[in-house]
Short mmCIF file of all heavy atoms in Angstrom, two decimals:
data_model
loop_
_atom_site.label_atom_id
_atom_site.label_comp_id
_atom_site.label_asym_id
_atom_site.label_seq_id
_atom_site.Cartn_x
_atom_site.Cartn_y
_atom_site.Cartn_z
N THR A 772 24.01 16.16 4.26
CA THR A 772 22.64 15.55 4.09
C THR A 772 22.70 14.02 4.29
O THR A 772 21.97 13.35 4.97
CB THR A 772 21.92 15.89 2.88
OG1 THR A 772 21.89 17.30 2.91
CG2 THR A 772 20.52 15.51 2.92
N LEU A 792 12.14 14.12 -1.12
CA LEU A 792 11.84 15.34 -0.19
C LEU A 792 12.97 16.07 0.25
O LEU A 792 12.94 17.35 0.44
CB LEU A 792 11.04 14.60 1.02
CG LEU A 792 9.65 14.05 0.70
CD1 LEU A 792 9.07 13.34 2.06
CD2 LEU A 792 8.66 15.04 0.03
N GLY A 796 13.64 19.88 -0.42
CA GLY A 796 13.83 20.65 0.84
C GLY A 796 15.14 21.49 0.84
O GLY A 796 15.17 22.72 1.05
N THR A 834 32.80 13.52 -7.68
CA THR A 834 31.73 14.07 -8.40
C THR A 834 31.80 13.82 -9.93
O THR A 834 32.79 14.21 -10.54
CB THR A 834 31.68 15.71 -8.10
OG1 THR A 834 31.55 15.91 -6.70
CG2 THR A 834 30.58 16.38 -8.90
N VAL A 865 39.57 4.24 -26.97
CA VAL A 865 39.95 5.49 -27.60
C VAL A 865 38.59 6.31 -27.78
O VAL A 865 37.81 5.90 -28.63
CB VAL A 865 40.78 5.39 -28.87
CG1 VAL A 865 41.25 6.62 -29.34
CG2 VAL A 865 41.92 4.40 -28.58
N ASN A 1096 6.19 13.97 -22.71
CA ASN A 1096 4.79 13.66 -23.18
C ASN A 1096 4.85 12.79 -24.26
O ASN A 1096 3.90 11.96 -24.38
CB ASN A 1096 4.26 15.17 -23.62
CG ASN A 1096 3.88 16.01 -22.40
OD1 ASN A 1096 3.51 15.39 -21.30
ND2 ASN A 1096 4.01 17.27 -22.53
#
Side-chain angles (χ1 to χ4, degrees):
T772 305
L792 296 176
T834 295
V865 184
N1096 284 328

